[in-house]
Amino acid sequence: MKKIKVFFGGLLLSGFFWANIANAVCPVCIVAVGAGLGFSRWLGVDDVVSSIWIGALLAAISIWTIIWLNKKGWGFKFQKIVIPAVYYLLTLVALYYFDIAGHPLNKIFGIDKIIFGSVAGTAFFLASVQLHNFLKIKNNEKSFFPYQKIAIPVVVLILTSLIFYFLLKWRII
């Protein structure tokens, strides 16, 4: 079983080395993150760590949808509130319905691990997008390095996942 986990973990990480040009929140990226979430659950990754990626995915989909609606001329007044709320509600209701979330013993700081991780993932993803925008402004509207728009959020999410992983493994939280 351990060999299978190592194989799929290596397969998941190999995507970073063979990735082609992509937009920060393109459909392929969203499908890849969704598949990664399924693998992480299968590999036995803690729900807090997996949910960091759920939160980032929901934030990315929300941003992507808002941009798409605006390009089509279909934007509306409270879209920045309504669209994320719909995505989060649909996701969390589905997770509760299928008994993935809501278990009374699956909590951290008294909050369901999936909700806690999703909120943390959303916050860190949005902060990483702001960091990219800040760095770009400081460099005369140019990125400091190729694929900065993609690299910064991915690196921030990986670091956040690792920090939570080790905090949970060492039973600090």
Side-chain angles (χ1 to χ4, degrees):
M1 185 66 169
K2 186 174 179 165
K3 288 181 181 181
I4 293 172
K5 288 182 180 182
V6 169
F7 171 75
F8 280 111
L11 187 64
L12 206 58
L13 288 174
S14 69
F16 289 111
F17 300 110
W18 293 312
N20 292 328
I21 299 171
N23 295 324
V25 282
C26 65
V28 175
C29 298
I30 291 169
V31 171
V33 172
L37 290 170
F39 278 128
S40 70
R41 193 134 178 107
W42 185 73
L43 292 171
V45 175
D46 192 271
D47 284 343
V48 173
V49 177
S50 296
S51 298
I52 288 169
W53 294 87
I54 291 173
L57 175 66
L58 290 171
I61 290 173
S62 297
I63 292 168
W64 183 44
T65 303
I66 291 167
I67 291 169
W68 182 80
L69 286 174
N70 288 338
K71 282 183 182 178
K72 294 286 187 181
W74 298 340
F76 53 94
K77 189 173 184 177
F78 296 108
Q79 69 183 359
K80 290 183 180 179
I81 297 169
V82 172
I83 291 170
V86 168
Y87 280 128
Y88 281 82
L89 281 173
L90 289 173
T91 301
L92 294 177
V93 166
L95 291 172
Y96 275 97
Y97 179 77
F98 290 107
D99 293 327
I100 296 171
H103 192 279
L105 299 176
N106 195 27
K107 295 186 182 254
I108 185 168
F109 305 123
I111 303 168
D112 186 81
K113 284 184 173 184
I114 292 176
I115 292 173
F116 179 85
S118 296
V119 170
T122 298
F124 281 103
F125 177 79
L126 293 175
S128 67
V129 170
Q130 292 300 319
L131 175 61
H132 161 71
N133 292 336
F134 172 77
L135 291 173
K136 195 171 171 183
I137 288 169
K138 289 293 182 187
N139 196 28
N140 297 321
E141 295 299 321
K142 296 178 186 174
S143 293
F144 280 98
F145 55 91
Y147 309 112
Q148 175 181 308
K149 185 176 184 179
I150 299 166
I152 289 177
V154 169
V155 168
V156 166
L157 290 171
I158 289 171
L159 290 174
T160 303
S161 297
L162 287 172
I163 289 168
F164 274 102
Y165 171 78
F166 286 115
L167 289 174
L168 288 163
K169 183 176 180 179
W170 296 332
R171 301 187 191 275
I172 295 172
I173 57 172

